[in-house]
Every structure is written in structure tokens, then in C-alpha cells.
Amino acid sequence: MPLHHLLYISHADHLLSPYQVGEMLEPFRRRNRALGITGVLFYSAGHFVQLLEGEADEVHNLFGTIRRDDRHEDVRQLLSFPVGQRLFDDWSMALLNVDCRTTLEETCLVQLVREAEAAEVTRAHTAMSWRLLVQFRDLLRSPNTPSALA
């Protein structure tokens, strides 16, 4: 079955500390490994942005579960399309907690959130989102990656 990417944004029902974000991640990782899902979760100031990648049916079923999770609201799908390969094949769920970082990562996520909140997702937005995801993947693979990334 072909691989699929789905990117969504949501707002946490309350602000989370870096510890709380990290603590909720392990059950997600176990579930994703069991489903063959990989991806990355970004968190900053109450916003989640997550990329799910895997078989299309599994990705869409998981997204349905995520939409019903009452820990966040205003869940909006930004992108959904078939792909030839995974971006985050090394991680059942990588985490970038931007509240633990500054500079490029925060700026890029803020830009992604602003673009996502615009009324219409355009082709330019899709290309920009893809570039940001590749940037984050490369950052995660860097040997100099700090502990705020997992």
C-alpha cells in the first residue's frame, strides 16, 4: 500500500510545560510503532503541528482518533497526499518542543502556524510546509541536536 503524509494543526486545551509534552509522548510512540506510523510533533505556546506518515488507511484512521482527542481543539488538516518515501522514518514520533528552543526553529514554526491559520492553503504554503519539515528532519539528524529534540 502506498505511503501517505498528513499534516495538521491544533490548539491545546491549555498551555503545557515541556515536561508535560514529553510525558504524553511515550504512549503516542508505542501506538505509532504498532501502526507503522512515523512522523514529528511540534509544540509551541499551545499550538501543535504534527506530520503523520505511513500507509494511507492507518494515517487517516489515526487522524480520526486524534480529532476526537479532547486535549486539543480546532484540529485542522493542512496537507494530505501520497508520497514515495518517509521523511521521519527514524522516529515513531519525533518531538520538537519549540518552547525549549529559540531562533530558527521557533521562527519557522510560528511562520507555519500563521500560514496554516490563513483562510486558504495554497500551493506556495504546501511547498513552504514541505521545506520546513525537511529542515526539521535534518535538524533532528544533526549530531549537535540538543535534548529539547527527541
Side-chain angles (χ1 to χ4, degrees):
M1 187 163 221
L3 291 174
H4 201 82
H5 276 177
L6 188 146
L7 181 71
Y8 75 88
I9 185 172
S10 67
H11 299 191
D13 67 344
H14 65 281
L15 289 179
L16 300 167
S17 71
Y19 175 78
Q20 290 171 310
V21 174
E23 191 174 64
M24 62 190 252
L25 199 61
E26 192 51 41
F28 297 158
R29 285 179 171 154
R30 282 193 305 272
R31 175 198 60 203
N32 289 356
R33 277 191 293 273
L35 296 173
I37 301 283
T38 55
V40 63
L41 174 67
F42 305 99
Y43 178 78
S44 179
H47 290 93
F48 289 105
V49 177
Q50 185 171 17
L51 172 73
L52 302 170
E53 52 187 12
E55 291 187 7
D57 289 345
E58 294 294 346
V59 166
H60 289 291
N61 289 339
L62 178 55
F63 184 60
T65 300
I66 289 168
R67 291 186 84 131
R68 293 185 297 275
D69 190 323
D70 61 5
R71 289 175 286 192
H72 60 165
E73 57 197 21
D74 194 23
V75 180
R76 286 184 284 149
Q77 178 180 303
L78 302 178
L79 306 171
S80 180
F81 53 91
V83 294
Q85 65 184 41
R86 296 173 189 257
L87 275 179
F88 294 90
D89 55 341
D90 297 339
W91 298 279
S92 56
M93 185 52 55
L95 169 65
L96 174 57
N97 190 336
V98 179
D99 289 346
C100 295
R101 301 186 50 81
T102 57
T103 64
L104 174 66
E105 297 81 30
E106 182 175 27
T107 303
C108 289
L109 184 60
V110 167
Q111 181 180 0
L112 181 61
V113 168
R114 283 187 185 142
E115 291 288 330
E117 290 181 336
E120 191 174 313
V121 176
T122 65
R123 200 177 281 242
H125 176 258
T126 301
M128 188 245 347
S129 298
W130 189 259
R131 282 192 309 276
L132 289 175
L133 289 168
V134 170
Q135 260 186 308
F136 285 126
R137 186 219 34 218
D138 294 345
L139 177 67
L140 287 165
R141 288 184 173 161
S142 167
N144 300 322
T145 298
S147 61
L149 299 171

